[in-house]
């Protein structure tokens, strides 16, 4: 990849990716030409910034897998780049197709032209037409360089129909699930029955960028199961998760070790193969470092179906197989996305039900504290009324064990943290906080705010919620005292000469990691509940009406989006079956 192109990718990733860029450029090139000057050693531990950039540049491999043919089209729908394996489906070398109208490659050219003119490519993909090599699926997407097209053989139509029928029968099975764990177990079981790969599991992402495997089914071939284990951030960094969150379709790879085929480009346009983003294409070849890593885990085929709940990437339904496999037809993959979407919708409803219980409790607490505070005279009495409900305050944000309020230079506390210790926390906060800060700030360890706060009795972490210019609500959590079972060790190294990351071979090795001095993670719903408590206390002190929002609950519009997509997928899959029968 040219330096300026890699630099542009890095700058798009934010300032955190621009430091030490010369080192990171080795990831972009895949193989640096010479050792970097001044390095005492070639093998070093990779920083998260370097791993982030590595994941960004994987979208520009200049190679695709041979299970289909890739095309890049101009605004005029002419071919400006394609993979070099065009002979089998189109009877011509890739170079001979550059500059041609894409629709001219098919018997039903008008059908292709109609699809290319569509505003929503998702609604028209795949387009089933005939090429010289037989019936093919055309999958259209918009990319940064132009219209991206994956062309794949349709495959066994009878198998497609049977798989879709199985998905239709399976969708309703989620109705019997009432908990998050039951749902995870069910989706893994259903997916395993339908695909039969060596490993099927749910890869759930936490808000602190770690992840966890709540459910997994493995065949006897798998020697490194990961059920019940936590995985490290670098196994799938935030920018890689971002790509999955915004993918149009699932990613399915059936032979990751295949060398792939080169791209052919329109030289007259000055376009380089390494400048073409293949991130959205299912045919994009993996970076060699990823191939090495999967090989270390004896994975030859890999598939990941994103699960989006509340516009956030909840996790990935993941498949792995120890040997190469035929590519499942696009229709079958789309049916599996339909099943994944049904899982996501039911999951959103289950999580919403759990939050609704908290919302009811929070509403009852607000009404009770408002009544007692209303009978109090001065602010001191109102604060006492609020703290008399300290148990309810702590329940409003799960895991909180102590609450304190700093108001007009005085500290009022209830729970396991003494007022004097809470005063120390506020003192350190005032040293670093901007006076106009409005948003709550969370610390899993008090030492993150100041090393001097380490060891305060009764608390490991805190959320500081500003009330007004001279008031702060403090919610303390104790040490979680957890020992996580991690999948292997955290260290990832790379070679500065070759730009290659070292494959981790220990992902199935349970490694206990003590979480000392940390409270449990502060989630987005925790922070929303903390803001709601702040609003309640602010209203009490001001003598204003109580807020109606508890801060607990899910975005109904986001859940409706999941349901809407589920209906569209169901309709799209049914249409595809009808099209295949008509063909």
């Amino acid at each position: 990849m040219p330096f300026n192109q890699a630099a542009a990718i890095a700058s798009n990733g934010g300032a955190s990716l621009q430091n030490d860029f010369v080192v990171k450029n080795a990831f972009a090139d895949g193989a640096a030409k010479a050792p970097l000057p001044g390095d005492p050693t070639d093998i070093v531990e990779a920083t998260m910034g370097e791993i982030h950039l590595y994941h960004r540049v994987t979208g520009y491999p200049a190679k695709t897998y041979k299970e289909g043919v890739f095309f890049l089209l101009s605004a005029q729908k002419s071919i400006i780049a394609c993979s070099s394996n065009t002979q089998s489906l189109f009877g011509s070398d890739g170079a001979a197709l550059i500059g041609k109208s894409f629709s001219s490659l098919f018997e039903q050219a008008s059908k292709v032209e109609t699809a290319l003119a569509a505003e929503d490519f998702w609604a028209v993909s795949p387009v089933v037409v005939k090429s010289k090599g037989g019936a093919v699926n055309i999958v259209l997407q918009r990319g940064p360089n132009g219209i991206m097209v994956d062309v794949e053989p349709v495959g066994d139509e009878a198998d497609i129909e049977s798989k879709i029928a199985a998905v239709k029968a399976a969708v309703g099975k989620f109705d019997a699930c009432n908990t998050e764990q039951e749902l995870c177990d069910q989706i893994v079981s259903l997916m395993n029955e339908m695909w039969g790969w060596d490993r099927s599991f749910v890869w759930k992402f936490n808000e602190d960028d770690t992840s966890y495997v709540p459910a997994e089914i493995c065949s006897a071939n798998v020697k490194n199961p990961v059920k019940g284990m936590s995985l490290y951030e670098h196994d799938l960094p935030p920018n890689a998760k971002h790509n999955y969150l915004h993918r149009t379709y699932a990613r399915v790879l059936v032979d990751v070790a295949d060398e792939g085929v080169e791209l052919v480009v329109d030289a007259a346009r000055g376009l380089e193969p390494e400048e073409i983003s293949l991130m959205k294409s299912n045919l994009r070849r993996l970076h060699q470092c990823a191939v090495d890593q999967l090989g270390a885990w004896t994975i030859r085929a890999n598939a990941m179906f994103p699960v989006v709940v509340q516009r956030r990437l909840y996790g990935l339904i993941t498949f792995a197989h120890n040997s190469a496999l035929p590519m499942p037809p696009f229709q079958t993959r789309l049916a599996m996305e339909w099943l994944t979407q049904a899982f996501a919708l039911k999951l959103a409803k289950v999580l919403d039900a759990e939050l609704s219980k908290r919302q009811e409790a929070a509403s009852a607490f607000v009404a009770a504290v408002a009544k007692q505070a209303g009978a109090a005279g001065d602010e001191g009495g109102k604060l006492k009324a609020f703290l008399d409900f300290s148990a309810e305050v702590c329940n409003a944000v799960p895991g909180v064990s102590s609450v304190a309020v700093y108001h007009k230079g005085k500290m009022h506390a209830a729970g396991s943290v003494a007022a004097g210790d809470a005063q120390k926390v506020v003192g350190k906060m005032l040293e670093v906080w901007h006076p106009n800060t409005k948003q709550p700030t969370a610390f899993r360890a008090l030492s993150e705010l100041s090393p001097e706060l380490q060891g305060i009795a009764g608390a490991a972490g805190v959320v500081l919620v500003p009330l007004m210019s001279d008031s702060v609500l403090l919610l303390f959590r104790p040490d979680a005292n957890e020992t996580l079972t991690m999948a292997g060790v955290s260290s990832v190294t790379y070679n500065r000469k070759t730009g290659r990351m070292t494959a981790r071979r220990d992902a199935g090795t349970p490694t206990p990691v003590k979480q000392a001095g940390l409270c449990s993670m502060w989630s987005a719903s925790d922070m929303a509940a903390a803001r709601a408590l702040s609003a309640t206390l602010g209203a009490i002190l001001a003598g204003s009406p109580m807020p109606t929002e508890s801060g607990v609950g899910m975005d109904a519009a986001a859940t409706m989006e999941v349901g809407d997509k589920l209906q569209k997928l169901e309709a799209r899959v049914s249409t595809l079956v009808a099209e295949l029968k008509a063909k």
Side-chain angles (χ1 to χ4, degrees), residues 156-167 331-332 577 580-581:
D156 186 339
E157 295 173 19
D159 182 63
I160 292 172
E161 289 187 31
S162 67
K163 286 289 196 302
I164 290 175
V167 169
Q331 287 85 348
T332 302
V577 172
L580 284 173
K581 289 180 178 179

Side-chain angles (χ1 to χ4, degrees), residues 377-462:
D378 57 9
E379 288 185 340
K382 292 178 179 179
L383 282 170
K384 181 180 183 303
F386 180 79
L387 292 175
D388 282 346
F389 287 87
S390 60
E392 288 78 7
V393 173
C394 293
N395 288 336
V397 185
V400 168
S401 60
S402 187
V403 58
V405 179
Y406 176 75
H407 183 61
K408 294 183 178 180
K410 293 184 178 180
M411 182 62 70
H412 309 262
S416 56
V417 177
D421 285 336
Q423 183 74 47
K424 293 177 185 177
V425 174
V426 169
K428 292 300 178 182
M429 175 207 74
L430 294 175
E431 292 178 10
V432 297
W433 259 20
H434 190 279
N436 294 325
T437 296
K438 302 294 184 184
Q439 296 299 319
T441 303
F443 299 93
R444 290 193 66 189
L446 288 169
S447 57
E448 295 172 5
L449 180 58
S450 170
E452 297 175 23
L453 299 176
Q454 188 170 359
I456 281 182
V462 66

Side-chain angles (χ1 to χ4, degrees), residues 23 72 76 140-141 177 189 204 222 233 292 306 315 373 389 421 425 433 468-469 495 524 565:
V23 173
L72 181 66
Q76 292 72 39
L140 304 171
Q141 299 187 77
C177 301
S189 176
K204 179 185 175 181
V222 175
E233 178 186 6
D292 292 346
F389 287 87
D421 285 336
V425 174
W433 259 20
M468 49 194 77
S469 59
N495 187 311
K565 185 175 181 182

Side-chain angles (χ1 to χ4, degrees), residues 74-288:
S74 68
Q76 292 72 39
K77 317 302 189 293
S78 62
I79 300 168
I80 57 177
C82 64
S83 55
S84 58
N85 61 330
T86 55
Q87 189 72 40
S88 62
L89 290 181
F90 300 100
S92 297
D93 293 332
L97 299 181
I98 297 297
K100 287 184 176 293
S101 166
F102 177 70
S103 60
S104 69
L105 303 182
F106 305 93
E107 293 180 13
Q108 300 149 291
S110 60
K111 186 176 182 181
V112 177
E113 289 167 1
T114 299
L116 287 170
E119 184 176 340
D120 183 2
F121 283 163
W122 184 89
V124 298
S125 294
V127 185
V128 182
V129 292
K130 288 183 179 180
S131 70
K132 289 185 178 180
V136 294
N137 287 318
I138 298 176
V139 181
L140 304 171
Q141 299 187 77
R142 302 186 195 279
N145 306 103
I147 298 173
M148 303 170 62
V149 187
D150 288 351
V151 181
E152 304 174 8
V154 168
D156 186 339
E157 295 173 19
D159 182 63
I160 292 172
E161 289 187 31
S162 67
K163 286 289 196 302
I164 290 175
V167 169
K168 285 184 177 180
V171 166
K173 293 186 177 181
F174 295 124
D175 293 338
C177 301
N178 298 309
T179 67
E180 183 178 1
Q181 185 62 52
E182 287 177 0
L183 279 166
C184 289
D185 290 337
Q186 182 67 275
I187 186 68
V188 166
S189 176
L190 292 172
M191 292 288 205
N192 182 67
E193 287 176 13
M194 292 178 198
W195 277 37
W197 288 25
D198 285 329
R199 185 203 302 264
S200 307
F201 64 94
V202 175
W203 190 355
K204 179 185 175 181
F205 302 132
N206 300 320
E207 292 180 33
D208 63 354
D209 292 322
T210 60
S211 52
Y212 177 71
V213 179
E216 180 184 35
I217 293 178
C218 297
S219 72
N221 297 330
V222 175
K223 306 302 181 186
N224 55 346
V226 291
K227 181 178 179 179
M229 295 190 199
S230 297
L231 289 87
Y232 294 98
E233 178 186 6
H234 54 59
D235 285 322
L236 202 72
N239 53 352
K241 295 188 184 87
H242 176 83
N243 290 333
Y244 276 107
L245 178 63
H246 295 283
R247 280 192 70 84
T248 308
Y249 303 108
R251 177 88 154 129
V252 180
L253 305 175
V254 293
D255 187 2
V256 299
D258 184 79
E259 288 296 322
V261 294
E262 305 283 347
L263 293 184
V264 179
V265 300
D266 185 352
R269 291 176 175 265
L271 189 65
E272 296 287 341
E274 295 84 357
E275 295 175 341
I276 297 174
S277 172
L278 299 172
M279 184 57 72
K280 291 184 177 181
S281 172
N282 192 61
L283 299 173
R284 169 176 59 90
R285 189 186 187 275
L286 285 181
H287 189 284
Q288 189 58 43

Side-chain angles (χ1 to χ4, degrees), residues 500-563:
R500 294 276 288 277
M501 291 170 62
T502 303
R504 268 204 320 128
R505 300 178 182 275
D506 58 354
T509 305
T511 305
V513 176
K514 176 72 174 177
Q515 301 282 289
L518 294 173
C519 71
S520 56
M521 181 187 67
W522 299 101
S523 68
S525 61
D526 293 338
M527 300 303 284
R531 286 191 294 269
L533 284 174
S534 172
T536 297
L537 181 55
I540 288 172
L541 293 174
S544 305
M546 289 295 103
T548 56
E549 293 294 326
S550 69
V552 181
M554 299 183 77
D555 184 343
T559 301
M560 287 178 64
E561 284 178 11
V562 177

